[in-house]
Amino acid sequence: MKKLYGTGVALVTPFKKDERIDFNGLEKLVKYVLDNEVDYLVALGTTAETATLKKEEKQDIVECIQSANYKQLPLILGVGGNNTRDIVNQINSIKNLSVFYAILSVSPYYNRPSQEGIYEHFKSIVNCTEANIIVYNVPKRTGSNVMPDTVLRLANNFKNIIGIKEASGNVLQSYKIIEKKPKNFSVISGDDFITLPVLLGGGESVISVIAQGFPDKVSQMVSLARKNQVEKAFSIFYKIIKMIDLIYEEGNPTGIKTLLNIIGICNPYVRLPLLIGSPSLKKKMLNLLKQINS
């Protein structure tokens, strides 16, 4: 299986004011990132507000993304949760599983399992499904950290566990995995702030939120880093670093949807318990965009 390199985009789910899905906005977003040289797409991740979507809505969203994906880039599908048996059933109920490059599955949240519990969770998934799995580690959201030793055990013991989206925010944790991982296992940055250190340390790619707002810049930055053109890569990063800060100031995806609305891609609406971006956030983003584009 060909490894994933470069820039992946964690797509939002655009909504209309009445909270129905805005499929026109979603098509426009997919076309926008495809036109600006991203390398793969991620559907139904955290940034897509997946926790607030019904089963039928998820299916319609995936079909819309597949239809709009005119470049036929690899598509990763988010299927995760804290009920192991339910995750297995969900993955096995997917029609045409082979059209997805991999399933992105978050470490169980709220239950706060031990490292052995996390290991057994992913072992149960890969033993019961045909899918390739990318483990998603995001301790801020799950309440537990998938430690490097656990990641390496999974990587060495199951060929279908093909990578980790590492969003602990800890560069050293990524390096500990990169140092000892099998050759065909990918370390993917799940944090826009540390994409460059992860790539320069031997990681393969990023699943990015900010890449929706600046797909051309992030794609170029990642490409430069992979060619070891460090100074040029960091010059792009420093242009957008304040905006990365801003898109998380009022939560994700509130911030990125505010930015996407400003640049004319889709509406800023989110579903409760998230709230729409404040006028003050929008003003800060507008001022910063002028600086970035000047």
Side-chain angles (χ1 to χ4, degrees), residues 87-93 97 103 122-133 160:
I87 298 308
V88 169
N89 291 338
Q90 280 187 54
I91 294 171
N92 286 333
S93 70
L97 190 58
I103 298 294
F122 284 107
K123 176 183 172 182
S124 295
I125 292 172
V126 292
N127 281 343
C128 297
T129 63
E130 295 295 310
N132 288 310
I133 304 293
N160 280 24

Side-chain angles (χ1 to χ4, degrees), residues 1-5 101 132-134 154-164 180-187 204:
M1 186 181 193
K2 194 178 173 188
K3 280 178 89 169
L4 279 181
Y5 291 100
Y101 178 88
N132 288 310
I133 304 293
I134 297 172
L154 290 166
N156 284 308
N157 292 351
F158 306 103
K159 68 178 189 333
N160 280 24
I161 296 184
I162 61 167
I164 182 164
K180 295 180 179 174
K181 72 181 179 67
K183 193 177 178 183
N184 60 352
F185 184 85
S186 297
V187 174
E204 279 79 8

Side-chain angles (χ1 to χ4, degrees), residues 2 9 25 28 47 56 61 74-75 77-78 90 125 128 142 163 167 169 209-210 224 253 273-274 277 293:
K2 194 178 173 188
V9 182
K28 194 172 180 182
T47 305
E56 298 76 19
I61 286 164
L75 179 60
L77 180 67
Q90 280 187 54
I125 292 172
C128 297
T142 63
V209 176
I210 194 68
L224 287 164
L274 297 179
N293 295 327

Side-chain angles (χ1 to χ4, degrees), residues 33-189:
V33 298
L34 292 181
D35 286 347
N36 285 282
E37 304 307 316
V38 304
D39 298 291
Y40 61 97
L41 306 172
V42 180
L44 302 182
T46 309
T47 305
E49 295 173 76
T50 306
T52 70
L53 297 170
K54 295 175 188 167
K55 186 181 176 181
E56 298 76 19
E57 289 177 322
K58 291 178 187 177
Q59 202 167 320
D60 291 343
I61 286 164
V62 170
E63 285 173 10
C64 177
I65 292 168
Q66 285 175 316
S67 167
N69 181 14
Y70 71 87
K71 283 192 177 179
Q72 296 301 297
L73 294 185
L75 179 60
I76 292 173
L77 180 67
V79 184
N82 56 358
N83 178 340
T84 308
R85 192 172 294 171
D86 184 51
I87 298 308
V88 169
N89 291 338
Q90 280 187 54
I91 294 171
N92 286 333
S93 70
I94 296 167
K95 293 170 189 167
N96 302 325
L97 190 58
S98 61
V99 304
F100 300 104
Y101 178 88
I103 298 294
L104 178 67
S105 199
V106 71
S107 175
Y109 47 82
Y110 195 72
N111 317 46
R112 299 189 71 186
S114 65
Q115 294 302 301
E116 196 59 33
I118 292 169
Y119 177 86
E120 289 293 332
H121 169 79
F122 284 107
K123 176 183 172 182
S124 295
I125 292 172
V126 292
N127 281 343
C128 297
T129 63
E130 295 295 310
N132 288 310
I133 304 293
I134 297 172
V135 176
Y136 179 18
N137 182 37
V138 57
K140 278 184 188 172
R141 289 183 181 273
T142 63
S144 60
N145 186 17
V146 188
M147 301 303 289
D149 286 350
T150 305
V151 176
L152 292 166
R153 267 182 82 199
L154 290 166
N156 284 308
N157 292 351
F158 306 103
K159 68 178 189 333
N160 280 24
I161 296 184
I162 61 167
I164 182 164
K165 179 186 176 188
E166 176 43 66
S168 65
N170 183 339
V171 181
L172 287 178
Q173 182 154 311
S174 295
Y175 290 165
K176 284 175 183 174
I177 300 166
I178 291 166
E179 182 190 8
K180 295 180 179 174
K181 72 181 179 67
K183 193 177 178 183
N184 60 352
F185 184 85
S186 297
V187 174
I188 301 164
S189 172

Side-chain angles (χ1 to χ4, degrees), residues 11-15 21-22 26 29 44-45 47-50 53 61 212 253 257 266-267 269-271:
L11 296 165
V12 302
T13 303
F15 295 121
I21 295 163
D22 174 13
L26 183 55
L29 174 61
L44 302 182
T47 305
E49 295 173 76
T50 306
L53 297 170
I61 286 164
Q212 288 167 101
K257 282 189 167 182
C266 64
N267 293 314
Y269 306 116
V270 290
R271 284 180 175 175

